[in-house]
Amino acid sequence: MEERNPDLINFGAVIKQARKELGITQDQLSLYTRIDRSYISEIETGVKNPSLTIILMLAKALNIETIPIAKTV
């Protein structure tokens, strides 16, 4: 089994924390962004390496500035 990238794990934790602070579920975030819920789950757990487009969609939906997101990596 391949080890997960620590940067992706940290990024996923930021996304998950922001989502929880807004009080929304992965299903709700999926509806807002049109990103599949399972893909959001894999981002939050550091399994997937999202594209810049996906990162910007998540940042917009979660009201996160993109510069602070980049600093977590």
Side-chain angles (χ1 to χ4, degrees), residues 10-41:
N10 291 338
F11 176 77
V14 169
I15 296 301
K16 183 175 185 176
Q17 179 181 350
R19 177 180 59 76
K20 288 188 173 246
E21 286 176 5
L22 288 176
I24 62 173
T25 65
Q26 288 178 347
D27 287 321
Q28 290 168 317
L29 182 57
S30 176
L31 289 172
Y32 298 153
T33 60
R34 297 185 180 197
I35 300 169
D36 190 82
R37 190 217 46 85
S38 63
Y39 193 78
I40 291 171
S41 175

PDB file of all heavy atoms in Angstrom, residues 10-41:
ATOM      1  N   ASN A  10      -2.320  17.244   4.982  1.00  0.00           N
ATOM      2  CA  ASN A  10      -2.511  18.568   5.600  1.00  0.00           C
ATOM      3  C   ASN A  10      -3.543  19.384   4.834  1.00  0.00           C
ATOM      4  O   ASN A  10      -4.403  20.034   5.443  1.00  0.00           O
ATOM      5  CB  ASN A  10      -1.186  19.327   5.664  1.00  0.00           C
ATOM      6  CG  ASN A  10      -0.218  18.722   6.653  1.00  0.00           C
ATOM      7  OD1 ASN A  10      -0.614  18.006   7.576  1.00  0.00           O
ATOM      8  ND2 ASN A  10       1.061  18.981   6.463  1.00  0.00           N
ATOM      9  N   PHE A  11      -3.461  19.363   3.508  1.00  0.00           N
ATOM     10  CA  PHE A  11      -4.426  20.096   2.698  1.00  0.00           C
ATOM     11  C   PHE A  11      -5.837  19.581   2.944  1.00  0.00           C
ATOM     12  O   PHE A  11      -6.776  20.359   3.141  1.00  0.00           O
ATOM     13  CB  PHE A  11      -4.072  19.980   1.208  1.00  0.00           C
ATOM     14  CG  PHE A  11      -5.074  20.633   0.319  1.00  0.00           C
ATOM     15  CD1 PHE A  11      -5.098  22.001   0.170  1.00  0.00           C
ATOM     16  CD2 PHE A  11      -6.016  19.879  -0.352  1.00  0.00           C
ATOM     17  CE1 PHE A  11      -6.046  22.615  -0.635  1.00  0.00           C
ATOM     18  CE2 PHE A  11      -6.966  20.470  -1.162  1.00  0.00           C
ATOM     19  CZ  PHE A  11      -6.973  21.845  -1.307  1.00  0.00           C
ATOM     20  N   GLY A  12      -5.983  18.272   2.955  1.00  0.00           N
ATOM     21  CA  GLY A  12      -7.295  17.677   3.207  1.00  0.00           C
ATOM     22  C   GLY A  12      -7.851  18.058   4.561  1.00  0.00           C
ATOM     23  O   GLY A  12      -9.059  18.294   4.710  1.00  0.00           O
ATOM     24  N   ALA A  13      -6.980  18.137   5.558  1.00  0.00           N
ATOM     25  CA  ALA A  13      -7.419  18.519   6.904  1.00  0.00           C
ATOM     26  C   ALA A  13      -7.940  19.957   6.915  1.00  0.00           C
ATOM     27  O   ALA A  13      -8.918  20.262   7.605  1.00  0.00           O
ATOM     28  CB  ALA A  13      -6.276  18.352   7.897  1.00  0.00           C
ATOM     29  N   VAL A  14      -7.297  20.835   6.152  1.00  0.00           N
ATOM     30  CA  VAL A  14      -7.760  22.227   6.056  1.00  0.00           C
ATOM     31  C   VAL A  14      -9.145  22.278   5.422  1.00  0.00           C
ATOM     32  O   VAL A  14     -10.038  22.995   5.905  1.00  0.00           O
ATOM     33  CB  VAL A  14      -6.757  23.090   5.248  1.00  0.00           C
ATOM     34  CG1 VAL A  14      -7.336  24.452   4.919  1.00  0.00           C
ATOM     35  CG2 VAL A  14      -5.451  23.235   6.015  1.00  0.00           C
ATOM     36  N   ILE A  15      -9.337  21.513   4.363  1.00  0.00           N
ATOM     37  CA  ILE A  15     -10.641  21.483   3.691  1.00  0.00           C
ATOM     38  C   ILE A  15     -11.710  20.938   4.631  1.00  0.00           C
ATOM     39  O   ILE A  15     -12.797  21.515   4.770  1.00  0.00           O
ATOM     40  CB  ILE A  15     -10.561  20.648   2.391  1.00  0.00           C
ATOM     41  CG1 ILE A  15      -9.600  21.295   1.384  1.00  0.00           C
ATOM     42  CG2 ILE A  15     -11.941  20.436   1.779  1.00  0.00           C
ATOM     43  CD1 ILE A  15      -9.974  22.708   0.968  1.00  0.00           C
ATOM     44  N   LYS A  16     -11.402  19.851   5.311  1.00  0.00           N
ATOM     45  CA  LYS A  16     -12.367  19.245   6.225  1.00  0.00           C
ATOM     46  C   LYS A  16     -12.722  20.198   7.364  1.00  0.00           C
ATOM     47  O   LYS A  16     -13.894  20.344   7.719  1.00  0.00           O
ATOM     48  CB  LYS A  16     -11.795  17.945   6.790  1.00  0.00           C
ATOM     49  CG  LYS A  16     -12.756  17.202   7.683  1.00  0.00           C
ATOM     50  CD  LYS A  16     -12.172  15.872   8.111  1.00  0.00           C
ATOM     51  CE  LYS A  16     -13.161  15.056   8.918  1.00  0.00           C
ATOM     52  NZ  LYS A  16     -12.622  13.722   9.244  1.00  0.00           N
ATOM     53  N   GLN A  17     -11.718  20.856   7.931  1.00  0.00           N
ATOM     54  CA  GLN A  17     -11.969  21.794   9.031  1.00  0.00           C
ATOM     55  C   GLN A  17     -12.856  22.950   8.567  1.00  0.00           C
ATOM     56  O   GLN A  17     -13.805  23.329   9.256  1.00  0.00           O
ATOM     57  CB  GLN A  17     -10.659  22.333   9.581  1.00  0.00           C
ATOM     58  CG  GLN A  17     -10.848  23.325  10.715  1.00  0.00           C
ATOM     59  CD  GLN A  17      -9.525  23.869  11.245  1.00  0.00           C
ATOM     60  OE1 GLN A  17      -8.457  23.387  10.911  1.00  0.00           O
ATOM     61  NE2 GLN A  17      -9.612  24.884  12.068  1.00  0.00           N
ATOM     62  N   ALA A  18     -12.554  23.497   7.402  1.00  0.00           N
ATOM     63  CA  ALA A  18     -13.361  24.611   6.881  1.00  0.00           C
ATOM     64  C   ALA A  18     -14.801  24.169   6.635  1.00  0.00           C
ATOM     65  O   ALA A  18     -15.744  24.898   6.944  1.00  0.00           O
ATOM     66  CB  ALA A  18     -12.734  25.139   5.591  1.00  0.00           C
ATOM     67  N   ARG A  19     -14.959  22.975   6.112  1.00  0.00           N
ATOM     68  CA  ARG A  19     -16.309  22.455   5.855  1.00  0.00           C
ATOM     69  C   ARG A  19     -17.070  22.290   7.161  1.00  0.00           C
ATOM     70  O   ARG A  19     -18.230  22.712   7.281  1.00  0.00           O
ATOM     71  CB  ARG A  19     -16.214  21.106   5.119  1.00  0.00           C
ATOM     72  CG  ARG A  19     -17.562  20.455   4.868  1.00  0.00           C
ATOM     73  CD  ARG A  19     -17.437  19.143   4.140  1.00  0.00           C
ATOM     74  NE  ARG A  19     -16.642  18.135   4.803  1.00  0.00           N
ATOM     75  CZ  ARG A  19     -17.044  17.409   5.860  1.00  0.00           C
ATOM     76  NH1 ARG A  19     -18.244  17.602   6.385  1.00  0.00           N
ATOM     77  NH2 ARG A  19     -16.254  16.497   6.386  1.00  0.00           N
ATOM     78  N   LYS A  20     -16.425  21.721   8.151  1.00  0.00           N
ATOM     79  CA  LYS A  20     -17.078  21.514   9.452  1.00  0.00           C
ATOM     80  C   LYS A  20     -17.401  22.840  10.138  1.00  0.00           C
ATOM     81  O   LYS A  20     -18.439  22.963  10.789  1.00  0.00           O
ATOM     82  CB  LYS A  20     -16.230  20.624  10.339  1.00  0.00           C
ATOM     83  CG  LYS A  20     -16.236  19.178   9.854  1.00  0.00           C
ATOM     84  CD  LYS A  20     -15.557  18.253  10.831  1.00  0.00           C
ATOM     85  CE  LYS A  20     -15.759  16.832  10.369  1.00  0.00           C
ATOM     86  NZ  LYS A  20     -16.568  16.051  11.269  1.00  0.00           N
ATOM     87  N   GLU A  21     -16.516  23.833   9.998  1.00  0.00           N
ATOM     88  CA  GLU A  21     -16.779  25.146  10.583  1.00  0.00           C
ATOM     89  C   GLU A  21     -18.021  25.793   9.976  1.00  0.00           C
ATOM     90  O   GLU A  21     -18.723  26.539  10.646  1.00  0.00           O
ATOM     91  CB  GLU A  21     -15.563  26.059  10.431  1.00  0.00           C
ATOM     92  CG  GLU A  21     -14.431  25.700  11.373  1.00  0.00           C
ATOM     93  CD  GLU A  21     -13.176  26.532  11.176  1.00  0.00           C
ATOM     94  OE1 GLU A  21     -13.188  27.472  10.356  1.00  0.00           O
ATOM     95  OE2 GLU A  21     -12.169  26.222  11.841  1.00  0.00           O
ATOM     96  N   LEU A  22     -18.271  25.499   8.711  1.00  0.00           N
ATOM     97  CA  LEU A  22     -19.483  26.002   8.062  1.00  0.00           C
ATOM     98  C   LEU A  22     -20.706  25.159   8.397  1.00  0.00           C
ATOM     99  O   LEU A  22     -21.829  25.523   8.061  1.00  0.00           O
ATOM    100  CB  LEU A  22     -19.298  26.049   6.548  1.00  0.00           C
ATOM    101  CG  LEU A  22     -18.378  27.129   6.002  1.00  0.00           C
ATOM    102  CD1 LEU A  22     -18.226  26.985   4.499  1.00  0.00           C
ATOM    103  CD2 LEU A  22     -18.909  28.513   6.356  1.00  0.00           C
ATOM    104  N   GLY A  23     -20.467  24.017   9.025  1.00  0.00           N
ATOM    105  CA  GLY A  23     -21.574  23.147   9.417  1.00  0.00           C
ATOM    106  C   GLY A  23     -22.227  22.440   8.248  1.00  0.00           C
ATOM    107  O   GLY A  23     -23.443  22.185   8.287  1.00  0.00           O
ATOM    108  N   ILE A  24     -21.437  22.127   7.227  1.00  0.00           N
ATOM    109  CA  ILE A  24     -22.011  21.437   6.077  1.00  0.00           C
ATOM    110  C   ILE A  24     -21.392  20.046   5.928  1.00  0.00           C
ATOM    111  O   ILE A  24     -20.271  19.800   6.355  1.00  0.00           O
ATOM    112  CB  ILE A  24     -21.862  22.237   4.762  1.00  0.00           C
ATOM    113  CG1 ILE A  24     -20.394  22.469   4.403  1.00  0.00           C
ATOM    114  CG2 ILE A  24     -22.618  23.550   4.846  1.00  0.00           C
ATOM    115  CD1 ILE A  24     -20.187  23.109   3.045  1.00  0.00           C
ATOM    116  N   THR A  25     -22.147  19.166   5.327  1.00  0.00           N
ATOM    117  CA  THR A  25     -21.694  17.795   5.105  1.00  0.00           C
ATOM    118  C   THR A  25     -20.935  17.710   3.777  1.00  0.00           C
ATOM    119  O   THR A  25     -20.991  18.639   2.955  1.00  0.00           O
ATOM    120  CB  THR A  25     -22.887  16.831   5.045  1.00  0.00           C
ATOM    121  OG1 THR A  25     -23.678  17.164   3.888  1.00  0.00           O
ATOM    122  CG2 THR A  25     -23.727  16.903   6.308  1.00  0.00           C
ATOM    123  N   GLN A  26     -20.295  16.579   3.578  1.00  0.00           N
ATOM    124  CA  GLN A  26     -19.653  16.339   2.285  1.00  0.00           C
ATOM    125  C   GLN A  26     -20.697  16.325   1.173  1.00  0.00           C
ATOM    126  O   GLN A  26     -20.431  16.822   0.078  1.00  0.00           O
ATOM    127  CB  GLN A  26     -18.884  15.018   2.302  1.00  0.00           C
ATOM    128  CG  GLN A  26     -17.634  15.060   3.135  1.00  0.00           C
ATOM    129  CD  GLN A  26     -16.911  13.728   3.167  1.00  0.00           C
ATOM    130  OE1 GLN A  26     -17.443  12.701   2.759  1.00  0.00           O
ATOM    131  NE2 GLN A  26     -15.682  13.738   3.670  1.00  0.00           N
ATOM    132  N   ASP A  27     -21.871  15.800   1.462  1.00  0.00           N
ATOM    133  CA  ASP A  27     -22.941  15.788   0.464  1.00  0.00           C
ATOM    134  C   ASP A  27     -23.337  17.204   0.064  1.00  0.00           C
ATOM    135  O   ASP A  27     -23.532  17.496  -1.117  1.00  0.00           O
ATOM    136  CB  ASP A  27     -24.175  15.038   0.981  1.00  0.00           C
ATOM    137  CG  ASP A  27     -23.966  13.539   1.024  1.00  0.00           C
ATOM    138  OD1 ASP A  27     -23.329  12.994   0.109  1.00  0.00           O
ATOM    139  OD2 ASP A  27     -24.458  12.907   1.982  1.00  0.00           O
ATOM    140  N   GLN A  28     -23.461  18.084   1.051  1.00  0.00           N
ATOM    141  CA  GLN A  28     -23.827  19.471   0.754  1.00  0.00           C
ATOM    142  C   GLN A  28     -22.725  20.171  -0.036  1.00  0.00           C
ATOM    143  O   GLN A  28     -23.009  20.896  -0.999  1.00  0.00           O
ATOM    144  CB  GLN A  28     -24.121  20.228   2.054  1.00  0.00           C
ATOM    145  CG  GLN A  28     -25.400  19.770   2.728  1.00  0.00           C
ATOM    146  CD  GLN A  28     -25.536  20.312   4.133  1.00  0.00           C
ATOM    147  OE1 GLN A  28     -24.573  20.323   4.909  1.00  0.00           O
ATOM    148  NE2 GLN A  28     -26.743  20.751   4.478  1.00  0.00           N
ATOM    149  N   LEU A  29     -21.472  19.949   0.359  1.00  0.00           N
ATOM    150  CA  LEU A  29     -20.358  20.547  -0.380  1.00  0.00           C
ATOM    151  C   LEU A  29     -20.335  20.023  -1.811  1.00  0.00           C
ATOM    152  O   LEU A  29     -20.074  20.774  -2.750  1.00  0.00           O
ATOM    153  CB  LEU A  29     -19.033  20.247   0.335  1.00  0.00           C
ATOM    154  CG  LEU A  29     -17.775  20.844  -0.279  1.00  0.00           C
ATOM    155  CD1 LEU A  29     -17.877  22.361  -0.402  1.00  0.00           C
ATOM    156  CD2 LEU A  29     -16.549  20.456   0.547  1.00  0.00           C
ATOM    157  N   SER A  30     -20.658  18.768  -1.968  1.00  0.00           N
ATOM    158  CA  SER A  30     -20.730  18.171  -3.295  1.00  0.00           C
ATOM    159  C   SER A  30     -21.778  18.869  -4.158  1.00  0.00           C
ATOM    160  O   SER A  30     -21.544  19.161  -5.336  1.00  0.00           O
ATOM    161  CB  SER A  30     -21.057  16.682  -3.173  1.00  0.00           C
ATOM    162  OG  SER A  30     -21.225  16.099  -4.435  1.00  0.00           O
ATOM    163  N   LEU A  31     -22.927  19.159  -3.568  1.00  0.00           N
ATOM    164  CA  LEU A  31     -23.982  19.869  -4.307  1.00  0.00           C
ATOM    165  C   LEU A  31     -23.545  21.275  -4.685  1.00  0.00           C
ATOM    166  O   LEU A  31     -23.821  21.739  -5.791  1.00  0.00           O
ATOM    167  CB  LEU A  31     -25.262  19.930  -3.480  1.00  0.00           C
ATOM    168  CG  LEU A  31     -26.014  18.618  -3.312  1.00  0.00           C
ATOM    169  CD1 LEU A  31     -27.164  18.793  -2.309  1.00  0.00           C
ATOM    170  CD2 LEU A  31     -26.530  18.110  -4.641  1.00  0.00           C
ATOM    171  N   TYR A  32     -22.863  21.980  -3.773  1.00  0.00           N
ATOM    172  CA  TYR A  32     -22.412  23.354  -4.036  1.00  0.00           C
ATOM    173  C   TYR A  32     -21.363  23.398  -5.138  1.00  0.00           C
ATOM    174  O   TYR A  32     -21.346  24.324  -5.944  1.00  0.00           O
ATOM    175  CB  TYR A  32     -21.803  23.987  -2.787  1.00  0.00           C
ATOM    176  CG  TYR A  32     -22.730  24.149  -1.604  1.00  0.00           C
ATOM    177  CD1 TYR A  32     -22.215  24.166  -0.314  1.00  0.00           C
ATOM    178  CD2 TYR A  32     -24.106  24.292  -1.751  1.00  0.00           C
ATOM    179  CE1 TYR A  32     -23.042  24.301   0.796  1.00  0.00           C
ATOM    180  CE2 TYR A  32     -24.933  24.429  -0.649  1.00  0.00           C
ATOM    181  CZ  TYR A  32     -24.395  24.436   0.616  1.00  0.00           C
ATOM    182  OH  TYR A  32     -25.209  24.567   1.708  1.00  0.00           O
ATOM    183  N   THR A  33     -20.468  22.423  -5.156  1.00  0.00           N
ATOM    184  CA  THR A  33     -19.317  22.459  -6.053  1.00  0.00           C
ATOM    185  C   THR A  33     -19.461  21.595  -7.296  1.00  0.00           C
ATOM    186  O   THR A  33     -18.684  21.738  -8.232  1.00  0.00           O
ATOM    187  CB  THR A  33     -18.047  21.995  -5.315  1.00  0.00           C
ATOM    188  OG1 THR A  33     -18.247  20.651  -4.860  1.00  0.00           O
ATOM    189  CG2 THR A  33     -17.705  22.909  -4.152  1.00  0.00           C
ATOM    190  N   ARG A  34     -20.419  20.657  -7.261  1.00  0.00           N
ATOM    191  CA  ARG A  34     -20.577  19.658  -8.325  1.00  0.00           C
ATOM    192  C   ARG A  34     -19.364  18.732  -8.415  1.00  0.00           C
ATOM    193  O   ARG A  34     -19.034  18.220  -9.473  1.00  0.00           O
ATOM    194  CB  ARG A  34     -20.881  20.312  -9.665  1.00  0.00           C
ATOM    195  CG  ARG A  34     -22.186  21.059  -9.650  1.00  0.00           C
ATOM    196  CD  ARG A  34     -22.531  21.585 -10.983  1.00  0.00           C
ATOM    197  NE  ARG A  34     -23.796  22.299 -10.883  1.00  0.00           N
ATOM    198  CZ  ARG A  34     -24.529  22.609 -11.903  1.00  0.00           C
ATOM    199  NH1 ARG A  34     -24.155  22.295 -13.112  1.00  0.00           N
ATOM    200  NH2 ARG A  34     -25.658  23.257 -11.735  1.00  0.00           N
ATOM    201  N   ILE A  35     -18.701  18.575  -7.272  1.00  0.00           N
ATOM    202  CA  ILE A  35     -17.603  17.605  -7.149  1.00  0.00           C
ATOM    203  C   ILE A  35     -18.197  16.395  -6.437  1.00  0.00           C
ATOM    204  O   ILE A  35     -18.874  16.546  -5.422  1.00  0.00           O
ATOM    205  CB  ILE A  35     -16.433  18.196  -6.320  1.00  0.00           C
ATOM    206  CG1 ILE A  35     -15.877  19.449  -6.989  1.00  0.00           C
ATOM    207  CG2 ILE A  35     -15.339  17.148  -6.114  1.00  0.00           C
ATOM    208  CD1 ILE A  35     -14.915  20.231  -6.097  1.00  0.00           C
ATOM    209  N   ASP A  36     -17.938  15.216  -6.954  1.00  0.00           N
ATOM    210  CA  ASP A  36     -18.497  14.010  -6.360  1.00  0.00           C
ATOM    211  C   ASP A  36     -18.131  13.893  -4.882  1.00  0.00           C
ATOM    212  O   ASP A  36     -17.000  14.186  -4.488  1.00  0.00           O
ATOM    213  CB  ASP A  36     -17.970  12.790  -7.132  1.00  0.00           C
ATOM    214  CG  ASP A  36     -18.686  11.529  -6.731  1.00  0.00           C
ATOM    215  OD1 ASP A  36     -19.791  11.291  -7.255  1.00  0.00           O
ATOM    216  OD2 ASP A  36     -18.138  10.788  -5.882  1.00  0.00           O
ATOM    217  N   ARG A  37     -19.083  13.462  -4.058  1.00  0.00           N
ATOM    218  CA  ARG A  37     -18.863  13.357  -2.620  1.00  0.00           C
ATOM    219  C   ARG A  37     -17.700  12.428  -2.284  1.00  0.00           C
ATOM    220  O   ARG A  37     -16.898  12.708  -1.399  1.00  0.00           O
ATOM    221  CB  ARG A  37     -20.133  12.871  -1.906  1.00  0.00           C
ATOM    222  CG  ARG A  37     -19.995  12.989  -0.388  1.00  0.00           C
ATOM    223  CD  ARG A  37     -20.640  11.854   0.383  1.00  0.00           C
ATOM    224  NE  ARG A  37     -20.380  10.528  -0.091  1.00  0.00           N
ATOM    225  CZ  ARG A  37     -19.301   9.786   0.237  1.00  0.00           C
ATOM    226  NH1 ARG A  37     -18.364  10.269   1.019  1.00  0.00           N
ATOM    227  NH2 ARG A  37     -19.168   8.571  -0.235  1.00  0.00           N
ATOM    228  N   SER A  38     -17.582  11.340  -3.013  1.00  0.00           N
ATOM    229  CA  SER A  38     -16.485  10.401  -2.730  1.00  0.00           C
ATOM    230  C   SER A  38     -15.133  11.033  -3.045  1.00  0.00           C
ATOM    231  O   SER A  38     -14.144  10.771  -2.354  1.00  0.00           O
ATOM    232  CB  SER A  38     -16.669   9.092  -3.495  1.00  0.00           C
ATOM    233  OG  SER A  38     -16.619   9.303  -4.882  1.00  0.00           O
ATOM    234  N   TYR A  39     -15.081  11.892  -4.058  1.00  0.00           N
ATOM    235  CA  TYR A  39     -13.833  12.590  -4.387  1.00  0.00           C
ATOM    236  C   TYR A  39     -13.482  13.583  -3.275  1.00  0.00           C
ATOM    237  O   TYR A  39     -12.319  13.698  -2.885  1.00  0.00           O
ATOM    238  CB  TYR A  39     -13.955  13.296  -5.738  1.00  0.00           C
ATOM    239  CG  TYR A  39     -12.636  13.771  -6.292  1.00  0.00           C
ATOM    240  CD1 TYR A  39     -11.761  12.883  -6.897  1.00  0.00           C
ATOM    241  CD2 TYR A  39     -12.257  15.101  -6.198  1.00  0.00           C
ATOM    242  CE1 TYR A  39     -10.540  13.309  -7.401  1.00  0.00           C
ATOM    243  CE2 TYR A  39     -11.045  15.532  -6.696  1.00  0.00           C
ATOM    244  CZ  TYR A  39     -10.189  14.635  -7.296  1.00  0.00           C
ATOM    245  OH  TYR A  39      -8.976  15.064  -7.787  1.00  0.00           O
ATOM    246  N   ILE A  40     -14.496  14.278  -2.740  1.00  0.00           N
ATOM    247  CA  ILE A  40     -14.272  15.193  -1.620  1.00  0.00           C
ATOM    248  C   ILE A  40     -13.726  14.421  -0.425  1.00  0.00           C
ATOM    249  O   ILE A  40     -12.774  14.861   0.231  1.00  0.00           O
ATOM    250  CB  ILE A  40     -15.568  15.950  -1.255  1.00  0.00           C
ATOM    251  CG1 ILE A  40     -15.929  16.934  -2.375  1.00  0.00           C
ATOM    252  CG2 ILE A  40     -15.425  16.679   0.090  1.00  0.00           C
ATOM    253  CD1 ILE A  40     -17.282  17.577  -2.249  1.00  0.00           C
ATOM    254  N   SER A  41     -14.290  13.262  -0.156  1.00  0.00           N
ATOM    255  CA  SER A  41     -13.813  12.426   0.939  1.00  0.00           C
ATOM    256  C   SER A  41     -12.344  12.051   0.736  1.00  0.00           C
ATOM    257  O   SER A  41     -11.544  12.098   1.678  1.00  0.00           O
ATOM    258  CB  SER A  41     -14.675  11.166   1.050  1.00  0.00           C
ATOM    259  OG  SER A  41     -14.148  10.300   2.026  1.00  0.00           O
TER     260      SER A  41
END
